[in-house]
């Protein structure tokens, strides 16, 4: 993240970024947009602190406005400024979003330093009882609302001293019964205004003496920012960056002390300054509302003296081409957070109990500590602090000494080895059962291959692209490995999964794509492309897993670059069946998943919500509340219904991700 500061040196260092991020013309354009503003005299003396347009679709053909007043509360006004409905209170700022036939309004009580959320029906002019957010431990300066692609409603709070927060406050057409804090945001000092352009998912925040910034608004996004413009001499803002209004492809911003209006057009990830328009007669403009009107824009501008102006600007930004919105499915459970902060959780595996599927377990690596074992409700059942484990895989029915066990094998980055664990088939308890050293300098990924009963192999890869295939055997009650094959890809791999039935290995090359090759130890290693990195699959390519349906199998891939998951046929020509994201579950208070490393899926009937199988994905950014990383549990039924996939085979034998049988009675 770019550091923010009011120090001149910091501004100088940022100037180069803005010069490349916001293009400016040396001379004013010959086609400078025209702006006509007139004082709204009927509002004089009303002591309004903020004003917004009511969307035309909710106004019933009338011209309606919504106003905030420290003296009179929230006011629904007609086009001439007459009050039609009033909610008592003392409010200094507001924002609104449509919700069916109602408006959801967020208003800032600057005196009490609290935010009220309220629904207004413009037709009946009825207000719902206000819902007040808990008092914060910092001074609030501004707020703005954001409606995401899945119709969840979020609220941003802005503090002058660099504090900020994002809250989940609603879903669909309803306010949440209990608003939930999603994440804290490190914002610039001197911020007092924010606005969100919902379609592009961009949050705009001002830094008064420095400039304007754009952040990704989605709660699962990283807290990074890009400059829109800076204060002179490093940008085009003459004196002070103030209030903003966001539109698809464009941003309008007030130069508070320079009495000007700045217009910006989005150009890819950068911003182009279109014009700087003087606001004649205004002393210090500090409030701004905008809506499209014909081929131009209708404006409301509030001055520091309490007067409002209205007018028309003969300019509209060009909406950008946005990527197609991906479908979302929600997690029904999540694991307890792993026991280390930072990038710790990595890869899950699912062990299916051979007799009681509801007692199955999810294994998750903590690459700063070891292996953690969860039940299907996400409760931690076992913690094995054995070292920095990266990836893990499981197979069933392995003869170890005089007993039959299931095996879990994980890559150990402390020792560049494979750590082996025996799983008790009755209790699901894990114990250490051996270690296989490797010659890899940086062991990374691991997956298992079980082509026949009594035959088991492990594939291990390193960051240098090398793959090693080991035949596993039991000697003296410990598991050992014999190296039987080597091959290599051109760049860094990690995720892999083996299809036991078809003797096929799928492997992910992080910056290149997914490959398939013969998994048998005596076969030539001739990779065939499954899917390349591109528009659908975005680097890094991470976790891979297999789901076995009735008539076809599916390959599931973590596309980390756009926080999505791809589903492809697991047989040539490997047709892409669709992509989805794991979004937040507003009802249960479970955040979505992002920056996913490993994932796993089974088609076994584990009962209840998991009757068509279970998908587990690592969550790289734990929100709501912010904690160390964890794993999200998603019912495969939701994925199948969303993408129109086939159901699992309805037999007595349920197949694990790789294809080994686990008897369900």
């Amino acid at each position: 993240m770019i550091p923010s500061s009011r120090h001149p040196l910091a501004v100088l260092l940022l100037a180069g970024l803005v010069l490349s991020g916001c293009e400016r013309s040396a001379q004013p354009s010959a086609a400078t947009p025209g702006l006509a503003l007139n004082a709204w005299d009927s509002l004089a003396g009303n002591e309004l602190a903020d004003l917004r347009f009511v969307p035309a679709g909710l106004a019933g053909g009338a011209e309606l406005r919504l106003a905030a007043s420290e003296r009179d509360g929230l006011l629904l006004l007609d086009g001439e400024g007459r009050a039609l409905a009033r909610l008592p209170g003392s409010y200094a700022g507001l924002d609104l979003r449509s919700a069916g036939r109602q408006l959801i309004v967020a208003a800032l009580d600057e005196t009490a330093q609290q935010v009220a959320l309220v629904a207004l029906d413009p037709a009946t002019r009825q207000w719902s009882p206000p819902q007040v957010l808990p008092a914060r431990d910092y001074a609030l300066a501004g707020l703005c609302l954001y409606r995401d692609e899945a119709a969840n409603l979020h609220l941003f709070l802005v503090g002058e001293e660099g504090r900020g927060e994002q809250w989940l406050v609603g879903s669909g057409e309803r306010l949440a019964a209990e608003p939930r804090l999603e994440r804290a945001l490190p914002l610039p000092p001197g911020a007092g205004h924010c606005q969100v352009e919902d379609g592009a998912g961009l949050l705009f925040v001002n830094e008064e003496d420095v400039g304007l910034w754009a952040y990704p608004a989605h709660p699962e996004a990283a807290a990074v920012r890009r400059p829109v413009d800076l204060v002179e001499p490093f940008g085009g803002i003459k004196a002070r960056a103030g209030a903003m209004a966001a539109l698809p492809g464009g941003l309008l911003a007030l130069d508070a002390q320079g009495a000007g209006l700045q217009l910006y057009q989005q150009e890819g990830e950068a911003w182009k300054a279109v014009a700087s328009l003087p606001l004649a007669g205004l002393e210090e403009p500090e409030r701004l509302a905008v809506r499209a009107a014909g081929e131009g824009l209708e404006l409301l501008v509030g001055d520091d003296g309490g007067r409002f102006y209205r007018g028309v600007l003969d300019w509209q930004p060009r909406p950008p081409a946005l990527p197609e919105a991906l479908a979302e499915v929600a997690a029904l459970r999540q694991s307890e957070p792993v026991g280390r902060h930072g990038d710790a959780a990595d890869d899950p595996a699912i062990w299916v109990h051979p007799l009681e599927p509801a007692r199955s377990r999810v294994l998750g690596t903590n690459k700063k500590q070891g292996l953690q074992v969860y039940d299907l409700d996400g409760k931690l059942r076992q913690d094995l602090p054995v070292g920095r484990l990266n990836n893990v895989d499981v197979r069933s029915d392995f003869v170890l000494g005089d007993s039959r066990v299931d095996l879990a094998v994980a890559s150990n980055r402390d020792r560049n080895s494979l750590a082996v664990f025996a799983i008790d088939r009755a209790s699901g308890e894990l114990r250490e059962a051996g270690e296989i050293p490797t010659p890899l300098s940086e062991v990374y990924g691991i997956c298992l291959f079980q082509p026949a009963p009594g035959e088991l192999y492990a594939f291990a890869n390193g960051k240098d692209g090398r793959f090693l295939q080991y035949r596993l055997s039991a000697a003296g009650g410990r598991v050992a490995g014999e190296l039987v094959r080597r091959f290599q890809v051109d760049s860094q791999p990690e995720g892999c999964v083996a299809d036991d039935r078809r003797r096929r290995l799928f492997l992910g090359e992080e910056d290149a794509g997914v490959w398939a090759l013969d998994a048998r130890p005596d076969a030539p290693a001739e990779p065939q492309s499954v899917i390349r990195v591109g528009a659908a699959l975005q680097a890094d390519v991470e976790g891979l897993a297999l789901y076995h349906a009735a008539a076809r199998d599916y390959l599931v891939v973590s596309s980390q670059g756009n926080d999505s998951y791809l589903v492809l046929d697991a047989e040539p020509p490997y047709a892409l069946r669709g992509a989805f994201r794991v979004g937040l579950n507003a009802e249960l208070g479970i955040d979505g998943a992002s920056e996913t490393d490993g994932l796993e899926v089974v088609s076994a009937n584990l009962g209840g919500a998991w009757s068509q199988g279970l998908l587990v994905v690592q969550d790289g950014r734990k929100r709501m509340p912010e904690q160390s990383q964890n794993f999200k549990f998603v019912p495969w039924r939701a994925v199948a219904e969303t993408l129109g996939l086939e159901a699992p085979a309805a037999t007595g034998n349920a197949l694990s991700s790789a294809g080994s049988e686990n008897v369900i009675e």
Side-chain angles (χ1 to χ4, degrees):
M1 180 174 181
I2 304 168
S4 59
S5 170
R6 299 189 184 189
H7 193 282
L9 177 59
V11 176
L12 181 62
L13 293 173
L14 289 171
L17 281 172
V18 177
L19 291 175
S20 62
C22 177
E23 301 175 10
R24 311 203 65 84
S25 299
Q27 300 294 328
S29 169
T32 299
L35 172 63
L37 279 182
N38 297 293
W40 195 352
D41 292 329
S42 59
L43 289 184
N46 282 353
E47 297 186 14
L48 302 182
D50 205 355
L51 196 62
R52 291 287 187 273
F53 291 102
V54 173
L58 296 180
E63 286 291 324
L64 300 179
R65 312 286 185 264
L66 194 68
S69 168
E70 294 187 42
R71 183 187 68 185
D72 299 321
L74 292 177
L75 301 169
L76 180 65
L77 307 177
D78 66 13
E80 297 305 315
R82 293 182 291 264
L84 304 176
R86 174 175 173 266
L87 182 71
S90 176
Y91 300 107
L94 63 87
D95 200 6
L96 54 83
R97 287 295 186 275
S98 298
R101 301 306 304 169
Q102 292 188 322
L103 284 176
I104 301 296
V105 182
L108 172 60
D109 185 331
E110 206 167 53
T111 303
Q113 281 292 292
Q114 285 189 279
V115 175
L117 295 162
V118 61
L120 168 65
D121 186 332
T124 64
R125 302 172 187 175
Q126 297 296 309
W127 306 86
S128 71
Q131 185 179 63
V132 180
L133 259 66
R136 313 316 301 147
D137 63 351
Y138 60 94
L140 298 177
L143 57 76
C144 52
L145 290 167
Y146 162 49
R147 178 80 73 178
D148 68 22
E149 293 176 339
N152 298 300
L153 188 64
H154 309 264
L155 173 68
F156 288 98
L157 303 181
V158 175
E160 292 182 353
E161 300 304 319
R163 302 279 299 276
E165 293 176 337
Q166 183 172 5
W167 289 69
L168 176 66
V169 297
S171 180
E173 298 180 5
R174 297 182 301 172
L175 281 170
E178 179 185 353
R180 297 177 185 270
L181 177 62
E182 295 180 285
R183 59 171 174 163
L185 282 172
L187 297 179
H193 302 277
C194 68
Q195 281 286 288
V196 179
E197 205 293 284
D198 293 350
L202 288 174
L203 165 70
F204 299 95
V205 178
N206 74 314
E207 186 175 5
E208 286 187 348
D209 296 333
V210 177
L212 302 169
W213 301 96
Y215 296 76
H218 198 281
E220 292 295 334
V224 297
R225 61 179 180 170
R226 290 182 178 275
V228 176
D229 200 358
L230 291 184
V231 173
E232 289 184 343
F234 308 110
I237 302 171
K238 296 186 183 302
R240 178 172 292 180
M244 299 153 291
L247 295 160
L251 182 71
L252 290 78
L254 293 175
D255 186 342
Q257 289 187 338
L261 178 67
Q262 309 292 125
L263 310 182
Y264 303 97
Q265 171 68 52
Q266 185 177 0
E267 301 283 357
E269 294 185 343
W271 294 85
K272 179 180 180 179
V274 174
S276 179
L277 305 178
L279 297 175
L282 277 72
E283 297 178 5
E284 191 172 337
E286 61 177 18
R287 296 291 181 179
L288 177 65
V290 175
R291 72 173 178 183
E295 295 183 357
L297 298 174
E298 189 175 354
L299 273 64
L300 299 173
V301 183
D303 204 357
D304 184 46
R307 300 194 69 183
F308 274 86
Y309 298 77
R310 55 184 176 179
V312 175
L313 173 68
D314 62 353
W315 173 78
Q316 280 191 2
R318 300 184 307 277
L322 298 176
E324 182 180 355
L326 295 179
E328 292 191 3
V329 298
L332 291 185
R333 296 289 186 272
Q334 60 181 336
S335 74
E336 295 181 32
V338 298
R340 293 290 187 273
H341 290 289
D343 186 18
D346 194 278
D347 187 48
I350 303 171
W351 173 76
V352 178
H353 194 289
L355 297 177
E356 301 176 71
R359 294 178 60 194
S360 298
R361 295 287 186 258
V362 173
L363 286 59
T365 60
N366 178 345
K367 56 193 176 191
K368 295 186 177 183
Q369 181 182 13
L371 189 64
Q372 298 185 298
V373 183
Y374 307 94
D375 64 21
L376 296 185
D377 286 324
K379 301 297 183 184
L380 183 65
R381 295 301 182 185
Q382 198 174 357
D383 186 4
L384 298 157
V386 295
R388 296 186 303 135
L389 302 188
N390 198 69
N391 283 25
V392 63
D393 201 3
V394 299
R395 285 296 186 277
S396 62
D397 198 18
F398 185 84
V399 177
L400 182 61
D402 57 358
S403 62
R404 288 185 176 272
V405 299
D406 296 340
L407 284 188
V409 182
S411 51
N412 188 326
R413 296 173 70 178
D414 282 334
R415 300 170 61 86
N416 285 315
S417 64
L418 303 183
V420 184
F421 304 88
I423 307 173
D424 186 284
R425 290 167 61 83
S427 68
E429 194 82 4
L430 273 72
R431 61 178 175 83
E432 294 183 64
E435 182 180 21
I436 301 168
T438 80
L440 297 171
S441 56
E442 290 184 279
V443 70
Y444 211 40
I446 172 71
C447 56
L448 297 178
F449 170 47
Q450 192 173 36
E455 192 176 359
L456 185 61
Y457 298 88
F459 290 95
N461 62 54
K463 288 190 173 184
D464 59 3
R466 284 187 291 168
F467 275 79
L468 306 178
Q469 184 173 359
Y470 290 89
R471 179 183 290 112
L472 304 189
S473 60
R478 305 287 285 179
V479 177
E482 175 192 359
L483 182 60
V484 293
R485 185 165 65 151
R486 302 171 183 258
F487 56 91
Q488 185 156 353
V489 294
D490 292 336
S491 62
Q492 180 173 310
E494 183 178 4
C496 63
V497 63
D499 184 341
D500 295 345
R501 294 185 298 180
R502 296 181 179 86
R503 317 298 195 253
R504 182 180 293 136
L505 175 70
F506 294 95
L507 60 92
E509 193 176 353
E510 292 191 351
D511 294 330
V514 179
W515 305 89
L517 54 82
D518 197 314
R520 291 172 292 186
D522 55 353
E526 298 175 351
Q528 296 181 341
S529 177
V530 174
I531 184 172
R532 300 272 188 171
V533 165
L537 179 61
Q538 298 186 18
D540 289 347
V541 179
E542 293 288 341
L544 306 177
L546 284 167
Y547 181 89
H548 299 279
R552 71 178 72 240
D553 295 341
Y554 299 113
L555 177 67
V556 187
V557 185
S558 169
S559 174
Q560 194 181 73
N562 64 344
D563 297 327
S564 71
Y565 311 91
L566 274 58
V567 179
L568 303 92
D569 286 347
E571 293 186 80
Y574 306 115
L576 177 62
R577 294 292 174 176
F580 65 96
R581 291 191 172 104
V582 174
L584 65 83
N585 188 322
E587 182 178 355
L588 296 181
I590 301 175
D591 65 308
S594 57
E595 208 175 35
T596 290
D597 287 325
L599 56 79
E600 183 60 291
V601 65
V602 293
S603 58
N605 179 356
L606 305 183
W610 324 121
S611 61
Q612 289 191 14
L614 168 64
L615 170 69
V616 179
V617 303
Q618 181 259 6
D619 183 11
R621 300 186 184 102
K622 171 69 175 72
R623 312 293 199 203
M624 207 166 58
E626 289 181 289
Q627 295 174 310
S628 55
Q629 297 174 339
N630 72 348
F631 299 91
K632 300 296 192 284
F633 298 5
V634 180
W636 184 261
R637 181 194 303 272
V639 177
E641 291 176 352
T642 298
L643 300 185
L645 306 177
E646 294 185 6
T651 67
N653 292 334
L655 295 171
S656 72
S657 170
S660 58
E661 293 186 354
N662 296 275
V663 179
I664 306 297
E665 297 180 350

